[in-house]
């Protein structure tokens, strides 16, 4: 069972991940420069939120796909997908 992402949703996720990548690069630079730890933690928290939002967007897309997929007509398939998505969601919590 594969989670498919629509092009627009994928674009949003990639943008969030690029933002997080830039923030992490900034955090590394701040640490190397000996910047204030409060500033470092603030940027690290922002990067963490960006990663979380990307993960939640992927899971939400998976939920949407499952609700509209004809492949999920079988209750057993739905239960397996629900368990998989629940596990993914909890891994971000």
């Amino acid at each position: 069972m594969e989670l498919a992402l629509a092009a627009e949703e994928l674009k949003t996720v990639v943008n969030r991940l690029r933002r997080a990548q830039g923030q992490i690069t900034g955090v590394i630079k701040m640490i190397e420069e000996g910047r204030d730890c409060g500033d470092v933690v603030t940027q690290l928290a922002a990067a963490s939120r960006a990663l979380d939002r990307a993960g939640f967007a992927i899971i939400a897309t998976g939920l949407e796909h499952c609700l509209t997929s004809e492949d999920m007509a079988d209750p057993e398939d739905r239960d397996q997908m629900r368990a998989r998505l629940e596990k993914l969601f909890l891994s971000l919590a």
Side-chain angles (χ1 to χ4, degrees):
M1 287 178 267
E2 199 166 310
L3 299 179
L5 291 175
E8 190 59 37
E9 290 150 345
L10 181 60
K11 182 179 177 184
T12 301
V13 169
V14 169
N15 286 340
R16 287 186 192 279
L17 292 172
R18 285 196 175 119
R19 186 177 312 125
Q21 183 180 31
Q23 289 167 326
I24 291 169
T25 298
V27 168
I28 292 168
K29 184 176 179 183
M30 291 171 76
I31 291 170
E32 291 172 345
E33 293 172 350
R35 298 272 300 271
D36 178 69
C37 95
D39 294 340
V40 171
V41 170
T42 297
Q43 286 302 310
L44 195 55
S48 178
R49 282 191 304 273
L51 291 172
D52 287 345
R53 289 178 185 209
F56 289 134
I58 290 169
I59 293 169
T61 301
L63 285 170
E64 182 179 17
H65 174 71
C66 289
L67 292 174
T68 59
S69 176
E70 293 177 13
D71 296 337
M72 291 295 129
D74 181 18
E76 187 174 321
D77 288 342
R78 278 192 309 244
D79 290 344
Q80 287 177 353
M81 182 56 80
R82 181 183 180 278
R84 180 176 178 204
L85 289 167
E86 183 177 338
K87 183 178 178 182
L88 289 171
F89 180 78
L90 290 173
S91 73
L92 293 173

